[in-house]
Amino acid sequence: MTVDIDKTAGGPSGTPPTPPEAIKAIPVRHYGRYVSAVVAIALLAAVVYAFSQGKINWGAIPDYFFDDRVLTGMGKTLLITVLAMLIGIVGGILLAVMRLSKNPVTSSIAWFYIWFFRGTPVLVQLVVWFNLGLVFEYINLGPFYRDEWSDFMTPFLTALLGLGLNEAAYMAEICRAGLLAVDEGQTEAAHALGMSHSKTLRRIVVPQAMRVIVPPTGNEVINMLKTTSLVSVVQYAELFRVAQDIGQTSGAPAEMLFLAAAWYLLLTSVFSVGQYYLERHYARGSSRSLPPTPLQKIRANLFSLSNRSSTTGGAA
Amino acid sequence: MTAMVKAEGVHKSFGAVEVLKGIDLEVKQGEVFCLIGPSGSGKSTFLRCINHLEKINAGRLYVDGELVGYRQKGDKLYELKDSEVAVKRRDIGMVFQRFNLFPHMTAVENVMEAPVQVKGMSRSQARDRARALLERVGLGDKAGNYPSQLSGGQQQRVAIARALAMDPKLMLFDEPTSALDPELVGDVLDVMRDLAESGMTMVVVTHEMGFAREVGDSLVFMDNGVVVESGNPRDVLTDPQHDRTKAFLSKVL
């Protein structure tokens, strides 16, 4: 009945009711914000000024930015990053499953591996791999391969194993957390439908665990990209090593460090964008609607702008 | 006619806590068998023993004449391998209190998953069947929705369709309406009523006394790990013989 009353109150002709008068009040002035903004800008300007006045030959950076040696070094940095992460992710999944298994032997071994590789600095591990010739003079895989350790353990392999095996320990903990985050009811439901352990893991648990695993893994990739600079100590000619070498011969050592930093920053920025889209992919079903991509956001903003202008234009 | 489910002195303990203290009961083919009782009485645990989500510690439990979780040779019992248990579970559908739909799949993908992955059905055939099943539970228009986009009642009906997709000969319901808003309970019960009329053997753990009375063929009242009273639901619910049953029913009815 109240509905009827409301209808008649709205006016028979259907003219929209006059909107209530909007509040026009003097907003609170945040003087503290003005002051802190001015101080921050002043400090920033001082730093920029100091660098521009320093004895740094900024012109050397663009000269060498696309130097062949730099590009090759960057390629090697990327190669090591990708391969070491691959070893880390595969090893990490393996270790996480071992750690969660009911077999006490495998879970203890996984625990010990993680304890050891997380507990020692990666720089030390790298150098140890390089010098393992003291323990194993030869590497002998029967009829397939036989060589002296120092020939077998090239800088490339050292870098790969050192970084990859260390990364596996961290990835194991990330994967384990992801697997544990999936509700037990999911496993039960899959088992109740007659799915095997491995199918349940692959089809039901892992896809949901990925939502938890992907963001920290993205961090690990970015970390790995930067950590590759450590392998310069085992004579592997990646970006940082190349920058140092060019710096020594060209007489612009500091400038080349800035150049390396710029490249690292560029690469990590690209990875961050990739991470965003990957996270979005694995968010399927977890929220009612997916967050828009940056492109969609821009498009939506443009549309709402044009809509607003057209409606205001109509009103005026 | 063999019983669909037969329990003989079933015991189950979690550590030192004995949850089931010797359950004897029989579920006939095609009947709707209701389990009621206060929380902690062991009714859900018993249900989970039927498809071997829980291992029993003593007694014997048979589904369709076959021992659950074990193989008997002479007087020795051999534990079944996980893969053998999985094969037996294909014939037993289960619906959970918390739905447990797969959140990363749409409704129709949830229903398709087991036929494709377990039975090896082709995707197109499984999709057609899944759509028909969703139609049957009244959700034909929600096939493309993710579980998070469905209400609790809708999710539970998808879960029922998912269980039916495996053509089970027995359906287990573990308090299927307990997590639902009161106004959504009716839709789920309607689907269950239709299922009962189609002749499905159902074991239902429930607090819906109305459903038990209307649809149930047998009813068991459990308390503290034992069967206190059993019989025709209309008799037990209107004229309970045991004091404990009377006390429980006076609180819930």
Side-chain angles (χ1 to χ4, degrees):
Chain A
M1 284 304 111
T2 50
V3 178
D4 287 340
I5 293 166
D6 279 344
K7 265 182 191 162
T8 50
S13 60
T15 51
T18 50
E21 192 186 348
I23 292 176
K24 285 180 194 132
I26 314 296
V28 177
R29 307 287 180 202
H30 298 280
Y31 296 107
R33 287 184 197 172
Y34 302 142
V35 173
S36 57
V38 168
V39 170
I41 289 173
L43 283 175
L44 191 66
V47 170
V48 170
Y49 180 75
F51 269 84
S52 68
Q53 294 301 302
K55 294 192 186 89
I56 293 174
N57 175 18
W58 293 105
I61 295 177
D63 286 349
Y64 284 98
F65 204 73
F66 294 107
D67 190 281
D68 278 347
R69 286 169 291 175
V70 170
L71 291 182
T72 321
M74 188 201 67
K76 285 184 173 175
T77 289
L78 280 176
L79 183 73
I80 287 285
T81 304
V82 169
L83 291 181
M85 273 318 289
L86 222 60
I87 294 175
I89 289 170
V90 171
I93 292 170
L94 205 70
L95 284 167
V97 172
M98 278 171 75
R99 188 78 210 275
L100 293 172
S101 99
K102 284 175 193 148
N103 184 337
V105 175
T106 55
S107 79
S108 308
I109 289 176
W111 181 89
F112 181 82
Y113 181 99
I114 294 165
W115 171 76
F116 182 81
F117 280 90
R118 276 204 318 184
T120 53
V122 66
L123 184 56
V124 175
Q125 288 173 28
L126 278 169
V127 179
V128 167
W129 276 109
F130 203 44
N131 292 302
L132 222 51
L134 296 176
V135 183
F136 307 104
E137 208 171 327
Y138 294 99
I139 180 158
N140 190 349
L141 299 176
F144 306 109
Y145 187 84
R146 190 190 144 84
D147 207 346
E148 282 184 37
W149 185 267
S150 52
D151 289 338
F152 163 72
M153 195 47 80
T154 58
F156 173 73
L157 204 58
T158 310
L160 206 58
L161 285 179
L163 294 178
L165 295 182
N166 181 70
E167 184 59 30
Y170 287 90
M171 283 307 301
E173 289 298 273
I174 291 172
C175 294
R176 191 168 69 99
L179 293 175
L180 289 177
V182 178
D183 182 42
E184 219 177 323
Q186 294 289 310
T187 312
E188 283 185 358
H191 282 171
L193 286 166
M195 290 172 79
S196 64
H197 271 312
S198 58
K199 271 219 165 107
T200 302
L201 207 59
R202 210 175 62 234
R203 298 280 314 167
I204 308 300
V205 177
V206 169
Q208 294 181 59
M210 287 305 271
R211 200 164 57 81
V212 180
I213 291 174
V214 166
T217 304
N219 282 344
E220 289 297 310
V221 173
I222 286 167
N223 243 330
M224 176 63 81
L225 184 83
K226 296 181 296 177
T227 310
T228 53
S229 60
L230 286 183
V231 305
S232 58
V233 300
V234 293
Q235 313 301 323
Y236 187 66
E238 43 64 67
L239 182 55
F240 182 54
R241 174 110 210 150
V242 168
Q244 281 179 309
D245 287 350
I246 297 176
Q248 273 162 14
T249 52
S250 69
E255 289 77 358
M256 291 306 111
L257 296 183
F258 282 114
L259 180 145
W263 265 115
Y264 282 119
L265 206 54
L266 202 72
L267 293 175
T268 51
S269 306
V270 172
F271 279 166
S272 304
V273 174
Q275 184 186 359
Y276 178 83
Y277 280 93
L278 204 61
E279 278 177 32
R280 195 172 172 277
H281 173 77
Y282 282 109
R284 257 179 324 163
S286 68
S287 55
R288 281 169 201 221
S289 57
L290 285 176
T293 63
L295 268 178
Q296 285 171 335
K297 254 187 223 167
I298 292 169
R299 216 173 295 150
N301 282 341
L302 284 179
F303 268 118
S304 70
L305 271 182
S306 63
N307 281 347
R308 204 177 304 156
S309 61
S310 69
T311 49
T312 50
Chain B
M1 188 167 64
T2 56
M4 184 56 87
V5 179
K6 192 170 178 196
E8 293 171 350
V10 169
H11 285 258
K12 170 71 190 172
S13 307
F14 292 109
V17 186
E18 198 174 22
V19 184
L20 300 177
K21 301 168 183 168
I23 302 288
D24 295 283
L25 54 77
E26 205 176 300
V27 179
K28 293 192 201 70
Q29 192 133 23
E31 88 174 335
V32 176
F33 190 97
C34 296
L35 279 167
I36 64 168
S39 56
S41 60
K43 51 196 191 321
S44 285
T45 303
F46 177 72
L47 196 74
R48 293 160 58 82
C49 289
I50 295 177
N51 67 354
H52 208 50
L53 283 179
E54 305 288 354
K55 263 185 201 165
I56 63 175
N57 300 116
R60 294 283 186 277
L61 187 54
Y62 301 91
V63 170
D64 208 14
E66 287 181 43
L67 209 52
V68 173
Y70 301 93
R71 188 187 306 111
Q72 189 154 14
K73 261 190 196 162
D75 55 353
K76 272 191 184 160
L77 281 185
Y78 296 87
E79 222 175 308
L80 290 185
K81 284 189 278 188
D82 286 343
S83 56
E84 294 170 306
V85 172
V87 169
K88 298 211 167 174
R89 283 186 182 135
R90 292 179 192 184
D91 295 332
I92 307 173
M94 185 157 190
V95 174
F96 298 85
Q97 182 178 358
R98 301 287 323 163
F99 327 135
N100 294 346
L101 287 181
F102 307 133
H104 58 304
M105 300 180 186
T106 60
V108 74
E109 285 168 349
N110 263 281
V111 182
M112 288 164 62
E113 182 66 11
V116 171
Q117 295 297 328
V118 179
K119 280 188 171 170
M121 194 183 279
S122 75
R123 287 192 74 82
S124 61
Q125 195 189 350
R127 189 177 296 274
D128 291 345
R129 286 207 54 220
R131 284 188 188 281
L133 281 166
L134 287 175
E135 203 73 55
R136 182 171 164 193
V137 298
L139 293 171
D141 56 333
K142 302 283 184 197
N145 287 36
Y146 284 99
S148 60
Q149 297 164 326
L150 299 172
S151 74
Q154 291 169 336
Q155 288 189 50
Q156 193 60 297
R157 284 185 280 156
V158 173
I160 293 173
R162 178 175 72 174
L164 290 176
M166 289 298 282
D167 288 320
K169 57 189 175 191
L170 169 66
M171 284 283 282
L172 309 176
F173 291 86
D174 187 5
E175 303 195 26
T177 57
S178 296
L180 298 178
D181 289 343
E183 54 175 347
L184 301 175
V185 168
D187 293 338
V188 172
L189 291 183
D190 285 344
V191 169
M192 290 170 64
R193 196 172 287 127
D194 286 347
L195 197 58
E197 278 164 17
S198 74
M200 176 66 74
T201 312
M202 295 161 65
V203 181
V204 186
V205 172
T206 188
H207 293 294
E208 296 293 329
M209 299 306 155
F211 176 83
R213 186 167 29 222
E214 286 170 43
V215 185
D217 298 304
S218 301
L219 182 136
V220 157
F221 172 71
M222 277 176 72
D223 188 26
N224 215 3
V226 294
V227 172
V228 176
E229 195 165 347
S230 63
N232 184 299
R234 284 157 289 277
D235 299 341
V236 177
L237 290 175
T238 47
D239 184 24
Q241 301 300 309
H242 202 281
D243 284 346
R244 189 67 195 86
T245 319
K246 283 177 192 167
F248 175 74
L249 290 176
S250 70
K251 278 181 202 153
V252 297
L253 283 182

